[in-house]
Amino acid sequence: MNRKFRWGIIGLGKIARKFAADLALVPGAQLHAVAATDLERARSFAADFGAARAFGAYLDLAQCDDLDAVYIATPHHLHHDATLMCLEKGIPVLCEKPLALNSAQVRTMVDSARRHRTFLMEALWTLFVPAFEYALERIRQGDIGQVLGVHADFGFRLPRDPASRLFNPDMGGGALLDIGIYPALLAHSVLGVPQRIQASGAFGPTGVDETCVFTLLYPHQAIATGHATVSGHTPVEARILGSSGAIYLHSRWHHPQRVTLSQYREKEVIEQTVELPYEGWGYHFEIAHVMQCIQEGLLESPRAPWQLSLDLMETLDQIGAHMRQNVL
Ligand SMILES: NC(=O)c1ccc[n+]([C@@H]2O[C@H](COP(=O)([O-])OP(=O)(O)OC[C@H]3O[C@@H](n4cnc5c(N)ncnc54)[C@H](OP(=O)(O)O)[C@@H]3O)[C@@H](O)[C@H]2O)c1
């Protein structure tokens, strides 16, 4: 491509601003068009980030015939429809996590990408952060032996606000889909699809899960645990425990810049901490990856493939069902 790669963004909230800022860090990338539900806000966002075109309706952006990819950053409940709208126009899509509200929707989205021969990836940005990649590579190389446990938390305190998407059940609110997805992603990345799932949840007055805890059970007695909450701050750390060592992903582990590898020797533990700092928010790694996939003519990412999104959402579906049966 001898011109810049033209991105569009649908839904101009908090994450869209960070994404647009990081896009400027990616060589060859350009923010071309943005769409909000309000034209004035779209114009203001376009002015802030140098986009040439601004629309007051998502459908108008999907009519653009000069986009190379669209990033969908609406609340969860709109991911499905916005993605289908773009895929049907043949526009490649990077859609925020969770890819949809449930696995039935994810299957429809993947089927659409396949049918329209158009790229689709869930924005699982963690997978592309160098310190996270480094940790996974050490595990693959057998540096901690056989994995026995994967433990991660993700919590922050949000004042209960029924108007916020996080507390609104109609918008897919709740801790599990918004942040519980990260511990589940870590478990899937290290151990794959669980054999059995146990979970409990604490539900608030608006009906969404404000806290969820889950255990994923694997063959050979390996387990993964996750704790996500919007009721209080947690350390946001992750540990992967193996038969001959451990990996600690320092806070905030879902986009780490520091990893400590411990290896158990006969009489001592050898520790090595690796620093892999980066500039920006950390979204530029996934942006560059998506551009490369599309330029190579791929329909899905080899590192965040459709099957991963399907498996992950099936796990979240099951955790959700268990949570509702085991209310804390
Ligand atoms: N990867 C990450 O690190 C990360 C971090 C935060 C959030 N996320 C994901 O990104 C998505 C958006 O999160 P956010 O925190 O950016 O949300 P947000 O700040 O609430 O913004 C969402 C945007 O969606 C648009 N929207 C359309 N219909 C809406 C409705 N009925 N109610 C509210 N907003 C509506 C809004 O308006 P306009 O279209 O008019 O702009 C708004 O700008 C979520 O799916 C979330 O899981 C990812």
Side-chain angles (χ1 to χ4, degrees):
M1 194 182 277
N2 51 13
R3 59 164 174 79
K4 288 204 166 180
F5 187 105
R6 293 188 189 131
W7 280 92
I9 304 181
I10 284 180
L12 306 179
K14 287 192 279 298
I15 191 64
R17 296 196 82 80
K18 292 183 175 176
F19 183 92
D22 273 3
L23 200 138
L25 302 174
V26 181
Q30 177 190 350
L31 183 58
H32 181 61
V34 295
T37 50
D38 173 88
L39 181 58
E40 270 324 299
R41 252 175 348 90
R43 283 190 176 137
S44 153
F45 189 104
D48 288 349
F49 294 101
R53 310 182 72 180
F55 300 103
Y58 300 159
L59 185 59
D60 291 345
L61 183 139
Q63 312 282 5
C64 280
D65 56 5
D66 55 358
L67 283 170
D68 297 307
V70 164
Y71 168 60
I72 293 171
T74 63
H76 319 335
H77 70 299
L78 300 175
H79 290 176
H80 170 266
D81 288 3
T83 295
L84 293 189
M85 180 180 76
C86 294
L87 293 175
E88 280 158 16
K89 303 278 180 200
I91 305 175
V93 172
L94 169 66
C95 178
E96 257 312 333
K97 44 55 59 178
L99 192 52
L101 295 177
N102 53 52
S103 54
Q105 286 191 338
V106 172
R107 267 192 294 281
T108 313
M109 294 155 86
V110 166
D111 286 347
S112 174
R114 192 180 282 118
R115 199 170 55 254
H116 292 97
R117 302 202 53 72
T118 301
F119 181 87
L120 169 65
M121 189 183 104
E122 183 173 6
L124 299 170
W125 63 304
T126 300
L127 300 178
F128 306 96
V129 173
F132 188 86
E133 286 184 313
Y134 170 82
L136 285 193
E137 186 53 28
R138 298 303 298 252
I139 296 165
R140 270 194 292 268
Q141 296 295 326
D143 291 347
I144 62 167
Q146 188 184 337
V147 175
L148 306 171
V150 176
H151 308 285
D153 70 274
F154 196 150
F156 49 80
R157 182 167 156 60
L158 265 190
R160 267 191 197 132
D161 172 9
S164 147
R165 67 173 182 82
L166 271 154
F167 290 94
N168 185 338
D170 297 333
M171 295 169 77
L176 174 64
L177 287 185
D178 205 68
I179 48 182
I181 188 172
Y182 286 103
L185 172 65
L186 181 64
H188 273 257
S189 303
V190 175
L191 288 167
V193 177
Q195 252 182 358
R196 253 181 339 120
I197 293 176
Q198 298 168 346
S200 304
F203 292 79
T206 63
V208 306
D209 58 296
E210 296 183 351
T211 294
C212 74
V213 288
F214 57 82
T215 306
L216 311 181
L217 303 155
Y218 291 86
H220 312 295
Q221 298 184 342
I223 61 164
T225 61
H227 173 202
T229 182
V230 293
S231 303
H233 294 291
T234 71
V236 195
E237 296 166 336
R239 286 183 171 77
I240 300 124
L241 311 177
S243 54
S244 63
I247 285 190
Y248 171 47
L249 298 172
H250 292 248
S251 189
R252 295 165 60 86
W253 72 264
H254 65 302
H255 56 115
Q257 305 205 15
R258 189 190 291 174
V259 174
T260 298
L261 171 70
S262 305
Q263 290 180 296
Y264 313 141
R265 299 285 186 254
E266 214 164 290
K267 288 196 174 126
E268 58 179 349
V269 177
I270 298 176
E271 279 202 351
Q272 182 199 3
T273 296
V274 174
E275 311 268 352
L276 289 165
Y278 57 79
E279 55 176 331
W281 295 102
Y283 299 104
H284 43 298
F285 303 112
E286 72 172 354
I287 297 173
H289 174 76
V290 166
M291 287 165 56
Q292 189 182 348
C293 288
I294 293 170
Q295 283 164 345
E296 287 175 3
L298 302 181
L299 299 186
E300 61 180 313
S301 156
R303 286 162 61 197
W306 296 337
Q307 193 60 48
L308 173 62
S309 292
L310 284 162
D311 291 343
L312 191 56
M313 190 50 85
E314 273 168 18
T315 293
L316 297 178
D317 282 354
Q318 289 185 52
I319 294 173
H322 278 264
M323 277 196 322
R324 281 181 281 279
Q325 283 166 8
N326 297 291
V327 174
L328 286 169

